[in-house]
Amino acid sequence: MSDMPRCFIFGALPAGDLREKPCKGDLLIAADKGYDRVLELGLTPDLVVGDFDSLGVIPQVDNLIRLNVRKDDTDVGHAVELGFERGYSDFVVYGAVGGLLDHTLANVAIAHDIAVRGGRAMFIGGGYCFTVVHNAELALPIKDGGRVSVFALGGTAHGVTIRGLSYEAEDIDIPCTSHIGVSNEFIGEEARISVADGDLLIICQI
C-alpha cells in the first residue's frame, strides 16, 4: 500500500479483483472502454479519456477528454501524461495486460518511461502484474509459491541483486538479450530485487 496519492487508470480489459483501490486524494482515469470497467465496479472516474474506438460510443459526461483516433500515443499513455500533469507519479493501471500483444508491449514501454522519469507504476491484469525498476530496489510481498521473472530493459542492467527467491543473485550484470531471470519462484520470504545501474522489468504471477 502506497502512502502517497496515486493515479489509477482503467484500460479496456477486465480489471478482475482490485488488489489496490482508489482512496481519497487519488486520481481515477477511465481510458476508452475502461469507462465501462469503472462503472461495472461502481466507481466514478475523475477523468474519462480516449478516442472511444473500443467503447463504441462517446460518454455523455462533463469530465471527458476526447482524443483523435490518429494519434502518436495510446489512450492509456495519454492517461499517464494527464496524471503527470496533475502532479501524480505513482500509477496503478488495470485492464492493460493481456489481450493485444502490441498494446501489452506498449504498456511495458510506458512503465519503463514512468520509471525513468522518477515515478513508479504497477500494471495489473490477466493473472499477472508487472513494473519497471530504474536504478532502485523493489520489495515484493511475501508469497508461498508463484512465479516472478526479471528482465533487463534498454541495455545491460548492472549490479542486479535478487534475494528471498528460489534463485538468488548478488551484484550481477544482466544484458537485455538474456532470459536468465525467467520463472524464478517465491518461497514464503520477503523478496527484494535491486539494480545499481539500469532498468529491470519485473513480472509477477498473482
Side-chain angles (χ1 to χ4, degrees), residues 141-163:
I142 295 174
K143 289 183 62 179
D144 188 10
R147 294 199 305 274
V148 54
S149 296
V150 180
F151 302 98
L153 289 178
T156 298
H158 301 281
V160 177
T161 296
I162 300 171
R163 296 178 179 145

mmCIF file of all heavy atoms in Angstrom, residues 141-163:
data_model
loop_
_atom_site.group_PDB
_atom_site.id
_atom_site.type_symbol
_atom_site.label_atom_id
_atom_site.label_comp_id
_atom_site.label_asym_id
_atom_site.label_seq_id
_atom_site.Cartn_x
_atom_site.Cartn_y
_atom_site.Cartn_z
ATOM 1 N N PRO A 141 5.772 -8.488 -1.878
ATOM 2 C CA PRO A 141 5.033 -9.077 -0.760
ATOM 3 C C PRO A 141 5.424 -10.545 -0.554
ATOM 4 O O PRO A 141 5.787 -11.245 -1.500
ATOM 5 C CB PRO A 141 3.572 -8.960 -1.192
ATOM 6 C CG PRO A 141 3.554 -7.905 -2.237
ATOM 7 C CD PRO A 141 4.878 -7.988 -2.929
ATOM 8 N N ILE A 142 5.353 -11.003 0.681
ATOM 9 C CA ILE A 142 5.666 -12.401 0.997
ATOM 10 C C ILE A 142 4.617 -13.309 0.373
ATOM 11 O O ILE A 142 3.404 -13.123 0.558
ATOM 12 C CB ILE A 142 5.726 -12.609 2.519
ATOM 13 C CG1 ILE A 142 6.877 -11.809 3.119
ATOM 14 C CG2 ILE A 142 5.872 -14.093 2.849
ATOM 15 C CD1 ILE A 142 6.925 -11.836 4.628
ATOM 16 N N LYS A 143 5.074 -14.278 -0.426
ATOM 17 C CA LYS A 143 4.181 -15.246 -1.054
ATOM 18 C C LYS A 143 4.799 -16.636 -0.954
ATOM 19 O O LYS A 143 6.013 -16.790 -1.066
ATOM 20 C CB LYS A 143 3.961 -14.908 -2.535
ATOM 21 C CG LYS A 143 3.113 -13.685 -2.799
ATOM 22 C CD LYS A 143 2.911 -13.494 -4.299
ATOM 23 C CE LYS A 143 2.177 -14.681 -4.917
ATOM 24 N NZ LYS A 143 1.941 -14.507 -6.362
ATOM 25 N N ASP A 144 3.963 -17.615 -0.752
ATOM 26 C CA ASP A 144 4.418 -19.001 -0.708
ATOM 27 C C ASP A 144 4.074 -19.658 -2.047
ATOM 28 O O ASP A 144 3.017 -20.247 -2.224
ATOM 29 C CB ASP A 144 3.748 -19.747 0.441
ATOM 30 C CG ASP A 144 4.347 -21.131 0.646
ATOM 31 O OD1 ASP A 144 5.390 -21.426 0.035
ATOM 32 O OD2 ASP A 144 3.759 -21.925 1.405
ATOM 33 N N GLY A 145 4.969 -19.497 -3.011
ATOM 34 C CA GLY A 145 4.747 -20.051 -4.339
ATOM 35 C C GLY A 145 4.317 -18.987 -5.333
ATOM 36 O O GLY A 145 3.900 -17.883 -4.970
ATOM 37 N N GLY A 146 4.441 -19.317 -6.606
ATOM 38 C CA GLY A 146 4.126 -18.381 -7.678
ATOM 39 C C GLY A 146 5.392 -17.902 -8.358
ATOM 40 O O GLY A 146 6.471 -17.885 -7.766
ATOM 41 N N ARG A 147 5.260 -17.515 -9.623
ATOM 42 C CA ARG A 147 6.419 -17.154 -10.421
ATOM 43 C C ARG A 147 6.696 -15.660 -10.389
ATOM 44 O O ARG A 147 5.789 -14.840 -10.279
ATOM 45 C CB ARG A 147 6.227 -17.594 -11.872
ATOM 46 C CG ARG A 147 6.180 -19.104 -12.087
ATOM 47 C CD ARG A 147 6.456 -19.460 -13.536
ATOM 48 N NE ARG A 147 5.574 -18.782 -14.466
ATOM 49 C CZ ARG A 147 4.376 -19.232 -14.820
ATOM 50 N NH1 ARG A 147 3.919 -20.350 -14.289
ATOM 51 N NH2 ARG A 147 3.647 -18.583 -15.699
ATOM 52 N N VAL A 148 7.961 -15.341 -10.535
ATOM 53 C CA VAL A 148 8.385 -13.957 -10.739
ATOM 54 C C VAL A 148 9.571 -13.984 -11.696
ATOM 55 O O VAL A 148 10.467 -14.819 -11.558
ATOM 56 C CB VAL A 148 8.754 -13.259 -9.406
ATOM 57 C CG1 VAL A 148 9.791 -14.050 -8.641
ATOM 58 C CG2 VAL A 148 9.264 -11.846 -9.662
ATOM 59 N N SER A 149 9.548 -13.133 -12.710
ATOM 60 C CA SER A 149 10.611 -13.098 -13.708
ATOM 61 C C SER A 149 11.212 -11.702 -13.777
ATOM 62 O O SER A 149 10.523 -10.702 -13.543
ATOM 63 C CB SER A 149 10.073 -13.501 -15.087
ATOM 64 O OG SER A 149 9.626 -14.845 -15.086
ATOM 65 N N VAL A 150 12.501 -11.660 -14.099
ATOM 66 C CA VAL A 150 13.247 -10.403 -14.120
ATOM 67 C C VAL A 150 14.009 -10.309 -15.443
ATOM 68 O O VAL A 150 14.778 -11.214 -15.791
ATOM 69 C CB VAL A 150 14.244 -10.332 -12.943
ATOM 70 C CG1 VAL A 150 15.018 -9.015 -12.975
ATOM 71 C CG2 VAL A 150 13.523 -10.499 -11.609
ATOM 72 N N PHE A 151 13.787 -9.214 -16.179
ATOM 73 C CA PHE A 151 14.464 -8.998 -17.452
ATOM 74 C C PHE A 151 15.062 -7.595 -17.485
ATOM 75 O O PHE A 151 14.499 -6.654 -16.927
ATOM 76 C CB PHE A 151 13.486 -9.129 -18.625
ATOM 77 C CG PHE A 151 12.776 -10.453 -18.700
ATOM 78 C CD1 PHE A 151 11.494 -10.595 -18.187
ATOM 79 C CD2 PHE A 151 13.396 -11.554 -19.265
ATOM 80 C CE1 PHE A 151 10.838 -11.815 -18.250
ATOM 81 C CE2 PHE A 151 12.747 -12.782 -19.332
ATOM 82 C CZ PHE A 151 11.463 -12.912 -18.823
ATOM 83 N N ALA A 152 16.211 -7.461 -18.152
ATOM 84 C CA ALA A 152 16.810 -6.147 -18.360
ATOM 85 C C ALA A 152 16.127 -5.456 -19.537
ATOM 86 O O ALA A 152 15.731 -6.090 -20.512
ATOM 87 C CB ALA A 152 18.306 -6.286 -18.623
ATOM 88 N N LEU A 153 15.995 -4.146 -19.425
ATOM 89 C CA LEU A 153 15.412 -3.337 -20.496
ATOM 90 C C LEU A 153 16.414 -2.285 -20.952
ATOM 91 O O LEU A 153 17.140 -1.708 -20.134
ATOM 92 C CB LEU A 153 14.144 -2.624 -20.003
ATOM 93 C CG LEU A 153 12.892 -3.460 -19.750
ATOM 94 C CD1 LEU A 153 11.781 -2.552 -19.227
ATOM 95 C CD2 LEU A 153 12.431 -4.169 -21.007
ATOM 96 N N GLY A 154 16.455 -2.047 -22.255
ATOM 97 C CA GLY A 154 17.200 -0.909 -22.788
ATOM 98 C C GLY A 154 18.704 -1.006 -22.698
ATOM 99 O O GLY A 154 19.398 0.005 -22.778
ATOM 100 N N GLY A 155 19.241 -2.196 -22.527
ATOM 101 C CA GLY A 155 20.690 -2.353 -22.400
ATOM 102 C C GLY A 155 21.013 -3.283 -21.253
ATOM 103 O O GLY A 155 20.143 -4.009 -20.757
ATOM 104 N N THR A 156 22.239 -3.275 -20.795
ATOM 105 C CA THR A 156 22.653 -4.149 -19.696
ATOM 106 C C THR A 156 22.297 -3.511 -18.360
ATOM 107 O O THR A 156 22.569 -2.330 -18.129
ATOM 108 C CB THR A 156 24.161 -4.422 -19.757
ATOM 109 O OG1 THR A 156 24.464 -5.101 -20.983
ATOM 110 C CG2 THR A 156 24.611 -5.284 -18.582
ATOM 111 N N ALA A 157 21.678 -4.307 -17.489
ATOM 112 C CA ALA A 157 21.399 -3.877 -16.120
ATOM 113 C C ALA A 157 22.570 -4.307 -15.251
ATOM 114 O O ALA A 157 22.879 -5.503 -15.162
ATOM 115 C CB ALA A 157 20.100 -4.495 -15.628
ATOM 116 N N HIS A 158 23.222 -3.345 -14.613
ATOM 117 C CA HIS A 158 24.427 -3.615 -13.834
ATOM 118 C C HIS A 158 24.103 -3.681 -12.338
ATOM 119 O O HIS A 158 23.269 -2.925 -11.838
ATOM 120 C CB HIS A 158 25.472 -2.522 -14.071
ATOM 121 C CG HIS A 158 25.897 -2.378 -15.498
ATOM 122 N ND1 HIS A 158 26.810 -3.227 -16.094
ATOM 123 C CD2 HIS A 158 25.523 -1.493 -16.468
ATOM 124 C CE1 HIS A 158 27.002 -2.872 -17.342
ATOM 125 N NE2 HIS A 158 26.223 -1.821 -17.599
ATOM 126 N N GLY A 159 24.803 -4.571 -11.655
ATOM 127 C CA GLY A 159 24.652 -4.675 -10.209
ATOM 128 C C GLY A 159 23.289 -5.150 -9.772
ATOM 129 O O GLY A 159 22.676 -4.587 -8.860
ATOM 130 N N VAL A 160 22.797 -6.208 -10.409
ATOM 131 C CA VAL A 160 21.488 -6.756 -10.062
ATOM 132 C C VAL A 160 21.636 -7.721 -8.877
ATOM 133 O O VAL A 160 22.468 -8.635 -8.905
ATOM 134 C CB VAL A 160 20.861 -7.500 -11.257
ATOM 135 C CG1 VAL A 160 19.537 -8.139 -10.854
ATOM 136 C CG2 VAL A 160 20.671 -6.542 -12.431
ATOM 137 N N THR A 161 20.825 -7.508 -7.859
ATOM 138 C CA THR A 161 20.814 -8.375 -6.690
ATOM 139 C C THR A 161 19.388 -8.873 -6.452
ATOM 140 O O THR A 161 18.436 -8.078 -6.464
ATOM 141 C CB THR A 161 21.328 -7.632 -5.441
ATOM 142 O OG1 THR A 161 22.705 -7.281 -5.646
ATOM 143 C CG2 THR A 161 21.224 -8.498 -4.197
ATOM 144 N N ILE A 162 19.259 -10.176 -6.268
ATOM 145 C CA ILE A 162 17.959 -10.809 -6.033
ATOM 146 C C ILE A 162 18.060 -11.627 -4.751
ATOM 147 O O ILE A 162 18.890 -12.528 -4.653
ATOM 148 C CB ILE A 162 17.552 -11.710 -7.209
ATOM 149 C CG1 ILE A 162 17.457 -10.899 -8.509
ATOM 150 C CG2 ILE A 162 16.233 -12.428 -6.919
ATOM 151 C CD1 ILE A 162 17.263 -11.744 -9.758
ATOM 152 N N ARG A 163 17.197 -11.312 -3.788
ATOM 153 C CA ARG A 163 17.215 -12.022 -2.516
ATOM 154 C C ARG A 163 15.801 -12.448 -2.135
ATOM 155 O O ARG A 163 14.827 -11.758 -2.444
ATOM 156 C CB ARG A 163 17.798 -11.144 -1.408
ATOM 157 C CG ARG A 163 19.268 -10.787 -1.628
ATOM 158 C CD ARG A 163 19.789 -9.890 -0.533
ATOM 159 N NE ARG A 163 21.207 -9.564 -0.749
ATOM 160 C CZ ARG A 163 21.760 -8.407 -0.455
ATOM 161 N NH1 ARG A 163 21.024 -7.444 0.068
ATOM 162 N NH2 ARG A 163 23.040 -8.198 -0.678
#
